[in-house]
Structures are given as C-alpha cells and as structure tokens.
Amino acid sequence: MTAMPILPYGAWPSPIDAKSVARADGAPGWPAALGDEVWWTEPRPLEQGRVTLCRARLDEPDEGPKEVLPAPWNARSRVHEYGGRPYLPLEAGGATAVVFTEFSDQRLYLYRPGERTGPVPLTPAPGTPSALRYVEPVAGREGEVWCIREEHTGPAPTDVERAVVAVPLDGSAAEDPGAVRVVASGRRFLACPRLSPDGRRVSWIGWDHPDMPWDSTFLTVAAVDGDGTAASPHDVAGGPGESVVQAEWGDENTLFLVSDASGWWNPYQLTLEPDGTARAPVALAPLTEEFGGPLWQLGPRWILPLQSGLIAAVHGTASTRLAILCPDSGALDDVDTPHTEWSPRLVAAGRAGETVIAVAASPELPPEVIAVSVADRSWRALSRTSGGPEVPPAYVPRPEERVFEGPGGREVHATVYRPRNPEAQAADVERPPYAVWVHGGPTGRAVSVLDAEIAYFTSRGIGVVQVNYGGSTGFGRAYRERLRGEWGVVDVEDAVAVARALAEEGTADPDRLAIRGGSAGGWTTAAALAFSDVFACGVIQYPIVDLVGWRTGETHDFESQYLESLIGPWPQARARYEERSPVNRAEGISAPFLLMQGDEDEICPPVQARRLLERVGEVPHAYLEFQGEQHGFRRAETIRAALEAELSLYARVFGFDAGVPAVELRP
C-alpha cells in the first residue's frame, strides 16, 4: 500500500478547481407548476450569469428537463434589487405560455415556447431604463396577471412607489401605460398578492419604513370591486412587533398565514367575516421552530394549502424539513427523504394538485428540484443540474453542527467543515488554517448543503466554519434581535468567539485564522479586521464599510432605513454610526486583505469599497472590481477569479504553495 503523502495544509492536491466551481455555480430555484408541467429557474454562469427557465413533465419521467427560455433572455427581477419570483406559467390562448420579467429592461413579457416570434412585451417601456419593475406574478382575473410593480419616480434611490397591479395578457399595455390597473397600494412595501378562489377578495402583505419585513408587517384583505380594484381594506393580522411573511387562501373565507406573534414564525388559520374583518388567528403548529423566514426576496412559500385540506410546510431551526400538516389536528408528518434543507418555494403540481414541488439539498446532495407525492410520500428528483460541479464523495466536507459560547455565555450557532482529502495528510504537529465565513443579511442564515466553494477549500486543507451569529434567522425572534443596535459588535464578537474556540480546542491554528464575507458579511469581515487582532487576513466582498454614507443615500430604498434598527435612530445616533464604521478605522487595519466588488452594485456601491481603500495604511491588500457584476457574483469568469484570488491570499499569508495565479498585493 502506498503511504499517503504528508503535505502542508492548503497545498493538498484537489480535483475541484475554480473553473469547474464557477461553471456550475448556483442552484435551481423558483419552481412553478401548470398541471403536470413543472418549471424552475436555472442560473447560467457561462452565459454572463443570465437566468433561464427549464421545465419537465411529471407524466414523462424519462424525458428529463428541457430549457425553455432561449438566450439571451434573462428571467430576473430587480424589485428591491434582490428580486424574487420572476415568472408565472399559464394557459394563454389555449396554449402553454409564461409571463416573465426580463432583466435587461425589467418589463414583463409573454412567451409561448416553440413559437418563432419569441417573447412579446406586456408592459410599457419606461422613460428611464428599468424604472418600472415587476415581481411575484400570480393568477389574477381572467385575461390578467397580477404582480408587484415598483416604479422609480426620480433620481434618488428612495424616489419609489409600489403597487399591486393587474397587467392584461393581450399586450395592450405595452403601448398604453393606462391599461395597467392599480389594484392596491398604500404602504411603501408590498408582497404576497393573492386573489381568493371566488375572485371576490384580495390579500397582500405590507410594511413601512423604518421597519423591515422581519420586524413588523400587516396582512391586509380587501373586497375586489367590479372594476377590479381593492375596496374597503382591513388589516387582519400583523402589526407592530409582529412579522407576517406569507398568507394563502384555503377557501373564500379562510386564510392560512405565517406569523411570528409567538416569537417563532408559525402557521395560523384565520377566518374572515362577511364584512372583511377577521376572527383571532388560530395557531396550527405552535412550536419553537421556524415555518417562515426573512423576505429578502418576494415570492417564497413556506406553507402550501393542498386540495385535500392538508398543508405542506417547510419547518425547522438549524436545518429544515418538509412536512405535511393536518390543520384540524395539528399533526405534523415529516417526509422521509435524504434532504436536510428545503427551500421555502413550495408549489402544487399534477392534475389533482397533490404533488408538492420544492428545491431541496443536503450536505451530500446539491440543490435539486424535488417532486413529492402527498399520497404515499414517494419522491424523485426532476433536475440534476447546476447545484455545483461533481464533488467526488471522498472530498465532500462533512458538516458538524456546533453551539459555541459567546460573550456573557450566549449561544452562537455554527457549522464546522474540517479539511478532507483522501489523497493527502498533514504532519501531526501542524494544525490547519481556518476561514470563518460570515453570511450576508445580516438577517439571514448559513445552511448546511453541498457547496462546491466550501469543498474547494476543505479539499486543499483549509477548514471552513460558517457562523450563524446573533441576528441570524432560524432560531426565533429573540436570537435575531440580538443585533438590534449592536451591528458591528455582536456579529464581530460571535465570529471572534468561534474562531478562538476552534483554536483553543486544537481544531485550528491560532496564527492562521481568516475571515470572509460578502455584503453584510463583508461589513462584519471589515469590522473584525478593524476592531480585533484575531484574524491573520480577510476577504471582503461587496461590503458596507461607511454607515453614514449608507444611511444618507448610498444604497437602495429597501434597506435605506435598515440601520435604524441595526445601529440606532438617525441622526441622533450619528456618533455611533461613525464609531462603528470600519472606514474610520481603516488606517488601523494590520492584517492583509482582499477586497472584491461589482461595478454595477446598487446595494453596496463601489464608492464604499473605494472609500475604504483611500484610507488604508501600509497593510498589504488587493482590490478587484468586476465589470458587469451587481450584488453578488454571477459570471463564471468572476467567480473563478474571486476563488483563485482568495486562495492566493491564503497561500501568501499562511505559507503554502497554492498552484493558482498570485494576486498582487499593495503596497
């Protein structure tokens, strides 16, 4: 037997290269159904990051998935800049069609697959490019699709109006803006428009600044007048300190909703009176688990009422499961599959509507579109596509769910991925370098699924730990509200606590700890480098670094007042904004870092990153600004360059040969 070679951590040979990771980066998403047809979105990193539409048939299992939307069409919405569900398959003129938002101009288009004419516009071209944006299309009255419209009315990011609108499918609104009818409006932010089964009522969710949708929202119900507009609206659930994130009609008098009134997002049943008012919501599964999450994108479905009267539901804490809920008894029956993470994007398919479609994954399985039979709980995968490159089983990192102790004894949830490679080992005296990964949001969650980016590093001998710091979702309202007024403190302390704990127990080398994050994770990374001395280097991606600038016009409308809860009231708390900002401590950063940014980012614009660079001292650093990228990297060439640059930084700081192009550090 050949002895396994002893090689330094970081220098282990790996079959997982950056090119293959980048080529297949992303996951299928936003499933929809039309009878036995199942649709979903798929990213195409090799095609400039466009998003296409695919479909498969439940009654043709041997046919496999087919791409529906040809290049260069790109089904992606920019509402809130984070978008949401961008399309709706439907019957139009006796044939299958799809309505979708085209990324390049944000107009709605109607497309009949197979027709030579290609997609045709349904909404008008605005005077300013992309000033009219659409998301979360749903079935409306006959001959219409209803959706959320975001209208940019002026030059400032906050010059925005939103409404639930009805768009005719005959194309008349493409030339006549007046043909788009406003169904409902009133609050600054709107989500989840739903028409009742009898067409007589409409429901939606709304909220106003400075609240975010995980803080306080209102569920509103209104009658639908003869002209197709909402009349006599009533707020029937939600309110200050309560977050309702979804509502679905069971019948014309019943709504099933997801609210965190108990401190956890749980499902409720709400009965409406003839006058539009409502009885008190009844909890269906009052558990210390989450059946909901943050509305970063519009269109998720954690619960799905079925024709049988049962409800499909995604629930859990550190991981999620798919279950079938009986609303009468409260019985919750988990579906037995190998998947440990279910996306909250449930839809019903099949002629009887008793097949649940979802996107699911596990630490061994990449995200895939799954069809689950409610009758016998059998399941099958409809897509084996773009969840990542083929990671050989022996190189798949194994997640270890851990709870660490933070300051004051508080719990900090994290997932540890140790280095894993069957073809190499390190010397007994050497401990591995580790990278602390900080998720974005900050109101978000890191999930334990097969991630080729993690495997890219662990297969080379670099450990990864994902930290669900205080403020993360999945652990109840109290856990996510630890960050109120404490952003830049609690998140940094928790990341530092996890890093130190791994070093103290001998899992990680205390002298070779890195931190890495994007967006809000980029903020925490920059803050950790500026305010602590634990990390030997950092990778900062499309970050927030200047709170004053971000609060006074350097971001989009959706998050323009997010800092009111994360930091404090503006301008009364201005001193806190300035004290917390890494840009004001840039000269004190002593650990080498890599800063990466998209030049079209409207959420964390390049001006923030460039301002940090202007103030750094003599610390070695590199700045990569990628053309054509927005918030997050979608193009294969960008993803590859970013991964190789990150590995190059670690190689230089931690002292190993990476075998990738060296990123030039200045000064």
Side-chain angles (χ1 to χ4, degrees), residues 388-405:
E390 187 68 29
V391 178
Y395 293 85
V396 172
R398 296 170 176 170
E400 301 172 21
E401 302 296 338
R402 301 277 302 274
V403 179
F404 294 89
E405 183 176 317

Side-chain angles (χ1 to χ4, degrees), residues 121 160 565:
V160 180
S565 60

Side-chain angles (χ1 to χ4, degrees), residues 93-224:
T96 298
V98 61
V99 172
F100 71 96
T101 299
E102 161 59 30
F103 178 73
S104 63
D105 61 10
Q106 290 299 289
R107 300 170 75 184
L108 279 183
Y109 285 79
L110 178 70
Y111 177 52
R112 293 181 173 86
E115 289 194 359
R116 296 180 179 180
T117 54
V120 295
L122 294 180
T123 55
T128 302
S130 299
L132 294 173
R133 307 174 182 184
Y134 306 87
V135 74
E136 201 175 356
V138 298
R141 300 203 308 181
E142 186 175 357
E144 297 177 338
V145 63
W146 290 13
C147 58
I148 304 296
R149 181 184 69 188
E150 181 178 88
E151 181 177 6
H152 291 249
T153 59
T158 52
D159 293 336
V160 180
E161 296 178 358
R162 297 177 182 87
V164 178
V165 299
V167 178
L169 294 172
D170 61 9
S172 57
E175 301 298 332
D176 177 15
V180 176
R181 185 178 71 257
V182 173
V183 175
S185 59
R187 291 195 165 93
R188 189 170 190 88
F189 301 98
L190 303 170
C192 202
R194 300 289 190 269
L195 187 63
S196 65
D198 61 3
R200 299 175 62 184
R201 286 171 165 158
V202 60
S203 64
W204 67 90
I205 292 168
W207 66 96
D208 290 301
H209 279 321
D211 287 320
M212 299 299 287
W214 41 86
D215 296 325
S216 304
T217 63
F218 295 83
L219 173 60
T220 304
V221 174
V224 178

Side-chain angles (χ1 to χ4, degrees), residues 497-512:
V498 170
R500 283 178 170 160
L502 290 176
E504 290 170 0
E505 71 184 26
T507 299
D509 185 339
D511 296 323
R512 296 193 293 174

